């Protein structure tokens, strides 16, 4: 009887988890067609009869070129790069770091993230929501360590080791998306008004104008 209740609880849990994320496929697969005009919560499906192994295959995951102003580069393998991920609710990315490189504060609007450190040492963390009093949860991660960034929360990684660093990020969405905070707030097109930003950040216009002039490199 106990086992039965446990099973029911487990089923209830798994169905609620599934509904909170990308939709479950109602067929074996739905390989994305690269149609830029029509989207059906993701992409249209390729005719299953025309699907082949290459639709599920991605080659050459990095290393990425980290010669840029922030010293990090994300190589995403999302549905845009791997059409066979369409409707499956998973994807992955590789992150390369130059020495002292930073993957700046950002969030993924549609997914949690598992960060797996393959090489080097990263200082990584996330901040909880206002309702949780914006607590910082951070750790120094070494090769073989894993850290979780819950969905939607702002997080970052800084290379604090001596050489380069490499990490793999696993996602529970075929298209997690990235919103980088600095790029969004100070690098938007067109710019957010000075009145909004001076009041929001409690600084004067010169500082906001200075920030808006920065290059706001997009590392994805
Ligand atoms: C890396 O990027 C820099 C800057 O864009 C470029 O000068 C350099 O040639 C690139 N290196 C490689 C190996 O592609
Ligand atoms: C899909 O189309 C876009 C824009 O034409 C292109 O950049 C991208 O590489 C294409 N993706 C695939 C998997 O063919």
């Amino acid at each position: 009887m106990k086992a039965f209740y446990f099973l029911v609880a487990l089923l209830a849990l798994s169905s609620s988890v599934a509904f909170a994320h990308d939709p479950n496929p109602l067929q074996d697969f739905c390989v994305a067609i690269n149609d830029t005009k029509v989207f059906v919560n993701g992409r249209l499906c390729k005719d299953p009869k025309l699907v082949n192994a290459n639709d599920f295959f991605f080659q050459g995951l990095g290393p990425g070129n980290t010669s840029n102003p922030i010293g990090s580069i994300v190589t995403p393998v999302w549905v845009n790069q791997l059409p066979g991920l369409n409707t499956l609710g998973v994807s992955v990315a590789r992150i390369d770091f130059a020495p002292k490189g930073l993957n700046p504060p950002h969030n993924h609007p549609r997914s949690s993230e598992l960060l797996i450190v393959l090489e080097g040492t990263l200082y990584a963390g996330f901040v909880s929501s206002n309702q949780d009093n914006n607590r910082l949860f951070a750790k120094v991660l070494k090769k073989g360590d894993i850290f979780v960034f819950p969905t939607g929360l702002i997080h970052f990684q800084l290379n604090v080791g001596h050489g380069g660093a490499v990490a793999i990020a696993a996602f529970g969405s075929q298209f997690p998306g990235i919103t980088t905070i600095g790029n969004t707030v100070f690098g938007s097109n067109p710019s957010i008004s000075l009145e909004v930003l001076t009041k929001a950040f409690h600084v004067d216009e010169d500082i906001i104008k200075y920030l808006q002039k920065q290059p706001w490199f997009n590392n994805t």
Side-chain angles (χ1 to χ4, degrees):
M1 207 53 190
K2 250 186 199 158
F4 172 75
Y5 284 126
F6 177 72
L7 201 67
V8 169
L10 202 69
L11 279 175
L13 193 70
S14 64
S15 62
S16 68
V17 168
F19 284 127
H21 297 87
D22 287 12
N24 274 334
L26 297 174
Q27 59 287 307
D28 281 357
F29 46 75
C30 168
V31 171
I33 293 176
N34 203 0
D35 187 317
T36 53
K37 292 177 217 78
V38 190
F39 295 90
V40 186
N41 192 22
R43 306 277 180 155
L44 293 176
C45 306
K46 184 174 177 179
D47 181 346
K49 289 193 288 297
L50 303 177
V51 166
N52 61 67
N54 282 332
D55 291 320
F56 304 99
F57 179 66
F58 180 91
Q59 198 167 31
L61 183 58
N65 185 343
T66 57
S67 301
N68 62 56
I70 54 176
S72 79
I73 195 82
V74 178
T75 307
V77 186
W78 299 345
V79 69
N80 293 9
Q81 292 79 29
L82 181 48
L85 288 179
N86 196 35
T87 75
L88 301 186
V90 295
S91 66
V92 73
R94 170 176 170 145
I95 315 169
D96 287 276
F97 297 84
K100 299 192 164 53
L102 172 71
N103 190 13
H106 64 279
N107 80 352
H108 304 288
R110 290 175 291 276
S111 181
S112 296
E113 171 179 343
L114 271 166
L115 185 85
I116 305 158
V117 180
L118 299 186
E119 293 296 338
T121 308
L122 296 173
Y123 171 66
F126 68 87
V127 178
S128 68
S129 67
N130 301 8
Q131 287 65 42
D132 189 62
N133 298 317
N134 306 121
R135 288 189 295 157
L136 172 67
F137 297 82
K139 272 279 203 197
V140 173
L141 308 174
K142 298 204 160 67
K143 180 174 178 168
D145 290 351
I146 297 181
F147 203 63
V148 176
F149 306 115
T151 193
L153 300 184
I154 293 174
H155 58 279
F156 59 84
Q157 300 106 32
L158 175 68
N159 182 359
V160 292
H162 295 298
V166 182
I168 295 290
F171 299 101
S173 166
Q174 66 182 39
F175 189 44
I178 297 189
T179 306
T180 306
I181 308 312
N183 304 40
T184 310
V185 175
F186 300 112
S188 70
N189 182 20
S191 297
I192 299 176
S193 86
L194 288 174
E195 188 177 0
V196 169
L197 295 180
T198 51
K199 284 185 176 160
F201 292 96
H202 313 289
V203 293
D204 59 33
E205 289 194 358
D206 290 348
I207 294 176
I208 299 297
K209 284 180 183 160
Y210 170 82
L211 287 167
Q212 287 177 332
K213 277 201 211 99
Q214 302 309 305
W216 300 112
F217 177 76
N218 176 358
N219 72 344
T220 308

